[in-house]
Amino acid sequence: MDRRRFLAAATGLAAGSMAGCGGCGGSKDTRPVLKILSSFPRTGSAQGQTDTIVNGIKMAIEDFGGEVAGHRIDYVDADDATASSGKWEAAAEAKNARDAVADDDVMVFIGPYNSGAAKVSMPILNEGGVLQISPAATWPGLTKKQPGDTTGEPEVYRPAKRVTFCRVCPTDDVQGPLSADFVKETLTAKKVYILHDNELYGDGIAGLFEARCRAIGLEILGGGRRPIVHTQTSFREITEQVRALNPDMVYFGGTTQTAAGKLVKDLRASRVTCPVMVPDGCYEQAFLDSASAQDLANVYATIGGTDPSMLKGKGKEFVEKYKAKYTKEPEAYAVYGYEAAAVFLAAAKKVGRKDREAILKACLETKDFEGGVVGKWSFDADGDTTLQQLTISKVEGGKFVPQKTVDKK
């Protein structure tokens, strides 16, 4: 977190006037405090997506009236990115986690946005006994042993030998395989070329996509998934190699921040006109703005769960309330920001006192939760949501237009 921003936040908390602190009553408010600290990239190209997650958290706090069991809810919106890099940084994520552990008022750490950042904060928060809920980190190895893993996941993130990390978004072991099924069944592809950004999330989901492609008989061109150096100014060398192999589709495991838009532009410049598919790390306005409409024609993107436009009941009410409050559409992960805060607040209300251990236990025991906006779900023994949906959308007219929603259950 930027130090100046943290100090400003702390000052805001002391004065009881911080944004998102529903029900704060100013300096005369003597109620005890329960604090939420979130950690996302609040600078760089992910800011559009994280703005919407933060707004979702604030809306959940407001729906609880800004307090639970006589405790005022304060909220610290911390940044794990730096202006120079435009993306999350390990040092910033670690500092945010240490700040949460050191502050006895912090009952939950909501975040991070990136799976790679989760590898940094999870051990710190686990040792500190702080509940961590991610609305967006989707690498399955954070919570479950993966086939062939030699890194010691997920135990390496649990030095205290217990679960403290959970998440309210579906994971990549849903997204990757179901994306491959869509490519075969709907796009009728037979030969695919797979690229990735060589980061934990991008390589991970590309690997899960590749494994499913092989299992269902799709040919992987180029001998297997290929990394790119996402900081390069041009990808024409590799996009020319892709064109020469004439794939039926191209998959990129990566994010807007790791040059997905630039890669699509270079593929089109190399006359690769087949469908291109990207994962949820690109399911945001920043990706739509990163290339021209012509370049993004025939581009598909996936999101774990449901596109905001398809939500019903309380989810639809959330979307309408969000649009009225912020005068724009919520990004796809806004609902998971709300869900993360809501499940924590429900657990805190159930416990009824400032007690990290008791709130942690109550939250992880959540079953058949309906207090949010994405439907009924539970945490499983690993801390993952039981929701296992995937939506595949196509870029049309500058928007993500849902084509198919699949439920793995």
Side-chain angles (χ1 to χ4, degrees):
M1 180 184 186
D2 175 82
R3 179 169 175 77
R4 185 172 59 182
R5 186 172 183 162
F6 179 81
L7 291 173
T11 302
L13 287 171
S17 60
M18 188 173 186
C21 176
C24 296
S27 59
K28 294 182 180 179
D29 189 342
T30 59
R31 290 175 296 172
V33 171
L34 298 182
K35 195 180 295 182
I36 297 171
L37 187 150
S38 69
S39 178
F40 305 115
R42 305 295 287 125
T43 50
S45 61
Q47 185 180 356
Q49 188 68 267
T50 61
D51 278 351
T52 206
I53 294 173
V54 166
N55 290 341
I57 292 171
K58 291 177 180 177
M59 289 173 67
I61 295 172
E62 290 169 2
D63 284 351
F64 273 78
E67 70 168 49
V68 291
H71 292 70
R72 192 180 77 227
I73 304 300
D74 281 354
Y75 174 37
V76 178
D77 171 15
D79 192 352
D80 70 6
T82 61
S84 59
S85 68
K87 60 188 286 291
W88 75 271
E89 293 286 346
E93 176 70 7
K95 181 183 183 305
N96 294 344
R98 289 194 297 269
D99 286 343
V101 172
D103 186 341
D104 290 338
D105 287 338
V106 173
M107 295 294 109
V108 64
F109 181 101
I110 297 181
Y113 179 67
N114 303 85
S115 295
K119 292 175 62 176
V120 175
S121 55
M122 284 177 68
I124 298 170
L125 295 163
N126 186 261
E127 282 199 306
V130 177
L131 170 66
Q132 181 176 13
I133 308 174
S134 176
T138 53
W139 170 239
L142 297 176
T143 55
K144 293 186 284 284
K145 187 74 174 176
Q146 296 301 295
D149 172 73
T150 59
T151 65
E153 290 185 326
E155 288 79 10
V156 69
Y157 310 126
R158 298 168 178 163
K161 310 297 183 187
R162 62 173 179 163
V163 174
T164 53
F165 173 88
C166 53
R167 47 190 164 187
V168 293
C169 54
T171 54
D172 294 341
D173 50 356
V174 176
Q175 188 174 188
L178 292 183
S179 297
D181 290 343
F182 178 84
V183 166
K184 180 177 182 179
E185 296 166 5
T186 303
L187 300 183
T188 64
K190 293 181 173 58
K191 302 177 297 180
V192 303
Y193 201 105
I194 305 172
L195 296 163
H196 65 88
D197 62 7
N198 211 25
E199 295 205 352
L200 176 66
Y201 163 78
D203 183 27
I205 195 166
L208 292 165
F209 177 83
E210 179 181 352
R212 180 61 180 168
C213 284
R214 293 186 186 281
I216 59 179
L218 293 178
E219 181 181 358
I220 310 300
L221 299 175
R225 65 186 185 279
R226 294 276 305 278
I228 64 167
V229 179
H230 62 79
T231 53
Q232 288 184 186
T233 57
S234 173
F235 303 115
R236 289 298 298 274
E237 181 177 350
I238 196 165
T239 59
E240 290 295 328
Q241 295 173 20
V242 173
R243 182 182 63 83
L245 292 173
N246 192 29
D248 296 326
M249 70 85 62
V250 175
Y251 186 87
F252 174 60
T255 67
T256 310
Q257 293 74 51
T258 54
K262 173 60 178 170
L263 178 63
V264 170
K265 287 194 285 189
D266 282 2
L267 283 167
R268 298 318 190 206
S270 294
R271 302 190 304 281
V272 178
T273 58
C274 65
V276 175
M277 179 177 280
V278 293
D280 60 328
C282 303
Y283 207 101
E284 56 186 355
Q285 186 61 44
F287 174 71
L288 298 175
D289 294 339
S290 66
S292 70
Q294 183 177 356
D295 290 335
L296 292 174
N298 217 12
V299 170
Y300 293 80
T302 57
I303 178 75
T306 306
D307 183 89
S309 66
M310 299 176 67
L311 290 169
K312 299 178 180 177
K314 293 174 69 175
K316 184 176 181 180
E317 291 174 9
F318 169 83
V319 172
E320 294 303 317
K321 188 175 177 181
Y322 186 102
K323 290 192 292 187
K325 185 176 180 67
Y326 297 106
T327 65
K328 59 183 177 183
E329 299 279 346
E331 297 258 16
Y333 275 99
V335 292
Y336 295 118
Y338 185 99
E339 206 75 11
V343 72
F344 157 71
L345 291 166
K349 184 176 182 180
K350 181 179 180 180
V351 171
R353 63 185 186 279
K354 184 188 294 186
D355 186 329
R356 274 184 181 173
E357 186 64 30
I359 293 173
L360 168 66
K361 182 174 184 294
C363 194
L364 292 176
E365 290 177 349
T366 296
K367 300 296 179 189
D368 297 328
F369 183 67
E370 295 183 278
V373 294
V374 300
K376 183 189 292 187
W377 59 272
S378 305
F379 281 129
D380 66 17
D382 300 310
D384 284 328
T385 176
T386 53
L387 286 178
Q388 297 189 54
Q389 290 180 327
L390 178 75
T391 297
I392 302 106
S393 294
K394 188 175 185 180
V395 179
E396 294 179 352
K399 294 183 177 180
F400 295 110
V401 179
Q403 307 292 303
K404 186 176 185 178
T405 295
V406 183
D407 195 326
K408 189 179 178 182
K409 289 189 293 185

